Amino acid sequence: MNLTKEQTDVLLEVCNIGMSKAAKQLSVLLNGPVFLNNPTIESLGKQEFIEYQLAQDNSLMSMVHQKLDRDFDGHAVLVFKRDYTARLLEAVLGEIPNLNAEEIRSCEQEAMLEIGNIVISSCVTAMANMLSKKVGLTVPNYYEGTLKAILSKDNPLLTDHLSSVFLLSTVMSTEKGNFSGRLMMFVSLDSINAILKAVNKMLGIK
């Protein structure tokens, strides 16, 4: 599917507003500014998506994932390097209590799920409201490992019915360097068609 320049510009602006909302929520949690790269839009087949992700480095990564439904059929994920989890936990909770390693890891994962849920839901909800659409989100799931390992598991991103997707993506980072991650939405072509109808309405195109 090819988008016109006008459709692309409006869709990028909708993404930018939604992702800016997410950055604002993250900045509140981290008590400092969060910066965004300009969002991008790409059309990918499932194999292209796998190769796109597996082309990334082999760093240990963390990923918070939520399934989208209703008018948005797809997935939303927040991916970041595993090293950031301890920094995020400290930024959110302050001084970490005297816990053993297992308890700290449990706290980190709970914090990541909460942060991911806040970031993803604020972004997706803002976009849906702008487009007069409805969106549902499943409870968040948390994964750790290299992207290759994460995506080699029984992961809904690879095992659901989507044969091709539109990838909406941006990078979020903090001035203090305690976080840098990528916020992504993988939306089905049917959902993009519905979204484009809303975009065309905004543009006055019948």
Side-chain angles (χ1 to χ4, degrees):
M1 178 190 295
N2 294 320
L3 305 180
T4 68
K5 183 180 184 303
E6 290 79 9
Q7 288 172 329
T8 300
D9 288 345
V10 172
L11 192 51
L12 283 172
E13 182 58 24
V14 171
C15 290
N16 188 53
I17 290 172
M19 291 170 174
S20 294
K21 292 281 188 182
K24 184 176 181 180
Q25 289 297 318
L26 186 58
S27 71
V28 171
L29 290 170
L30 300 181
N31 193 30
V34 172
F35 306 100
L36 290 177
N37 284 8
N38 290 331
T40 59
I41 301 175
E42 300 174 75
S43 178
L44 300 171
K46 182 168 286 190
Q47 188 59 41
E48 291 177 300
F49 161 67
I50 295 171
E51 292 171 356
Y52 173 89
Q53 291 298 347
L54 299 188
Q56 307 297 315
D57 65 45
N58 288 319
S59 301
L60 189 61
M61 307 295 287
S62 295
M63 181 174 82
V64 179
H65 161 252
Q66 289 182 269
K67 178 80 171 65
L68 310 177
D69 56 26
R70 304 183 80 174
D71 292 332
F72 284 13
D73 179 23
H75 304 268
V77 296
L78 179 64
V79 180
F80 47 94
K81 289 189 176 181
R82 168 71 183 82
D83 292 346
Y84 288 121
T85 57
R87 300 182 197 176
L88 285 171
L89 181 62
E90 185 176 354
V92 173
L93 298 183
E95 186 177 350
I96 299 175
N98 186 20
L99 304 174
N100 62 41
E102 184 178 347
E103 291 170 330
I104 290 175
R105 290 294 294 118
S106 178
C107 287
E108 286 177 355
Q109 292 187 21
E110 288 297 322
M112 296 310 101
L113 286 169
E114 184 63 23
I115 291 170
N117 184 50
I118 291 170
V119 169
I120 290 170
S121 62
S122 59
C123 173
V124 174
T125 301
M127 291 177 62
N129 289 341
M130 278 198 68
L131 296 168
S132 299
K133 297 294 182 181
K134 295 181 180 179
V135 64
L137 285 165
T138 62
V139 295
N141 293 302
Y142 181 77
Y143 303 92
E144 281 188 358
T146 64
L147 282 175
K148 182 175 182 179
I150 291 172
L151 295 175
S152 295
K153 296 178 181 178
D154 185 23
N155 193 302
L157 287 170
L158 300 183
T159 58
D160 72 6
H161 65 285
L162 301 182
S163 60
S164 56
V165 295
F166 266 78
L167 167 62
L168 316 175
S169 175
T170 191
V171 173
M172 311 172 73
S173 58
T174 59
E175 187 176 39
K176 296 178 180 178
N178 57 351
F179 181 79
S180 178
R182 183 174 290 273
L183 176 61
M184 299 183 284
M185 289 177 58
F186 304 91
V187 186
S188 71
L189 295 186
D190 286 344
S191 292
I192 283 292
N193 281 326
I195 290 169
L196 286 180
K197 287 182 181 179
V199 168
N200 288 340
K201 185 175 181 181
M202 294 172 71
L203 292 170
I205 300 172
K206 295 183 179 180

